[in-house]
């Protein structure tokens, strides 16, 4: 069964460009021309990954992202924008997206980003076998690799597919100072960009969910000049 991708873009030629290339790569594509249509199709089609343009008629891609993240926390979300300013990227990440891509982009970049995110969403049996456990436990935290659920003090905390993989890698490397590039490679893959802001925003989101005081983190420490450490 093919992985299902929902593309939401009001520009027909861009939507068709993405559809043709992703279908050629084996994905099952659902199309939406507006944010409202995307939300309706989300309930019907249950895609694994959403590709959302920011500038849409009616509700924006940011608003769609927030709604999808609230209703389907384990879905993968890629934001698409013609704007390259850092603030647009950060806004999308703060709203809960896993990745972003800037127009114009080549089809190979799009396919690599989607495949990387699909791997995080599906979290295959092969990946589980590498750690040889279905459940990772570290103190008050528990990571269920089969259901992809994350718990603190036995209370489930909703995390995105990207946040899940980052937490998994932190627990498996407890006490190690991990560089931003190392975190990026382990999470997004070898072919990702060198823009490490995406790591910082995801760490900020995770801290907001697990720390009593995110401004004074107890579990994810900042290692100045390097990156982060799970303690």
């Amino acid at each position: 069964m093919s992985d299902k991708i929902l593309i939401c873009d009001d520009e027909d030629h861009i939507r068709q460009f993405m559809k043709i290339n992703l279908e050629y790569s084996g994905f099952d594509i659902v199309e939406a021309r507006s944010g409202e249509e995307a939300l309706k199709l989300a309930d019907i089609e249950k895609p694994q990954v959403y590709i959302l343009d920011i500038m849409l008629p009616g509700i924006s891609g940011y608003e769609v992202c927030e709604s999808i993240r609230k209703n389907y926390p384990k879905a993968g979300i890629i934001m698409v924008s013609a704007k390259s300013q850092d603030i647009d990227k950060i806004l999308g990440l703060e709203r809960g997206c896993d990745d972003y891509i800037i127009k114009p982009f080549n089809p190979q970049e799009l396919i690599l980003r989607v495949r990387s995110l699909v791997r995080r969403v599906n979290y295959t049996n092969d990946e589980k076998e590498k750690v040889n456990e279905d459940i990772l436990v570290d103190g008050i935290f528990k990571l269920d690799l089969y259901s992809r659920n994350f718990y603190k003090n036995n209370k489930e905390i909703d995390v995105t597919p990207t946040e899940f993989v980052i937490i998994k890698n932190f627990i498996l490397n407890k006490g190690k100072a991990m560089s931003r590039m190392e975190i990026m490679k382990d999470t997004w893959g070898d072919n990702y960009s060198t823009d490490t802001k995406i790591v910082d925003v995801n760490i900020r989101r995770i801290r907001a969910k697990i720390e009593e005081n995110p401004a004074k983190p107890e579990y994810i420490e900042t290692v100045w000049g390097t990156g982060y450490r799970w303690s």
Side-chain angles (χ1 to χ4, degrees):
M1 183 177 178
S2 299
D3 295 296
K4 188 175 292 184
I5 315 295
L6 186 147
I7 301 171
C8 181
D9 197 304
D10 61 314
E11 296 186 66
D12 291 344
H13 67 284
I14 293 177
R15 198 175 60 253
Q16 289 303 308
F17 168 78
M18 290 191 281
K19 178 184 178 182
I20 290 169
N21 284 282
L22 290 172
E23 282 185 336
Y24 183 77
S25 297
F27 296 107
D28 182 13
I29 303 301
V30 178
E31 297 180 71
R33 295 170 177 79
S34 68
E36 290 84 355
E37 186 180 7
L39 292 178
K40 290 179 181 178
L41 288 171
D43 295 332
I44 298 170
E45 300 287 348
K46 303 292 193 298
Q48 283 90 348
V49 169
Y50 297 78
I51 303 175
L52 307 173
D53 190 34
I54 291 176
M55 302 299 291
L56 295 168
I59 61 175
S60 71
Y62 292 135
E63 294 171 283
V64 179
C65 177
E66 285 185 321
S67 181
I68 295 298
R69 184 56 68 215
K70 178 181 178 181
N71 295 322
Y72 302 101
K74 292 182 174 65
I77 303 174
I78 298 175
M79 300 296 294
V80 180
S81 174
K83 301 177 180 179
S84 60
Q85 290 90 343
D86 286 341
I87 187 62
D88 295 297
K89 301 174 186 177
I90 292 171
L91 278 174
L93 293 166
E94 293 285 9
R95 301 290 181 98
C97 79
D98 297 279
D99 201 353
Y100 54 80
I101 189 167
I102 304 300
K103 299 176 185 176
F105 50 84
N106 64 54
Q108 189 60 30
E109 180 184 9
L110 173 68
I111 292 164
L112 287 172
R113 297 290 182 93
V114 172
R115 282 178 175 165
S116 174
L117 185 49
V118 165
R119 283 196 298 270
R120 278 173 266 156
V121 171
N122 289 342
Y123 202 73
T124 65
N125 289 329
D126 286 343
E127 288 170 316
K128 287 189 289 184
E129 288 172 5
K130 290 178 184 178
V131 295
N132 200 31
E133 292 287 348
D134 280 344
I135 296 178
L136 294 178
V137 177
D138 182 52
I140 62 174
F141 297 103
K142 182 172 70 174
L143 205 64
D144 189 323
L145 303 179
Y146 181 78
S147 66
R148 292 189 295 113
N149 291 331
F150 175 60
Y151 303 88
K152 178 183 177 182
N153 288 321
N154 293 318
K155 181 180 179 181
E156 185 176 355
I157 298 175
D158 285 334
V159 292
T160 70
T162 298
E163 292 164 356
F164 184 92
V165 174
I166 291 174
I167 294 168
K168 181 207 72 171
N169 288 328
F170 269 145
I171 292 175
L172 290 174
N173 293 279
K174 183 175 181 176
K176 178 183 177 181
M178 300 179 71
S179 70
R180 289 172 174 82
M181 287 302 298
E182 185 178 3
I183 295 169
M184 179 174 287
K185 180 179 178 181
D186 289 344
T187 306
W188 285 270
D190 292 322
N191 297 304
Y192 200 76
S193 72
T194 57
D195 185 357
T196 57
K197 292 182 181 65
I198 193 170
V199 173
D200 296 328
V201 175
N202 275 277
I203 296 299
R204 188 158 63 245
R205 289 195 327 216
I206 296 171
R207 280 174 169 169
K209 295 177 180 181
I210 70 171
E211 301 281 0
E212 296 299 324
N213 181 359
K216 296 180 179 179
E218 178 182 355
Y219 306 110
I220 302 178
E221 300 176 348
T222 298
V223 181
W224 298 108
T226 301
Y228 300 97
R229 176 174 53 228
W230 181 268
S231 61

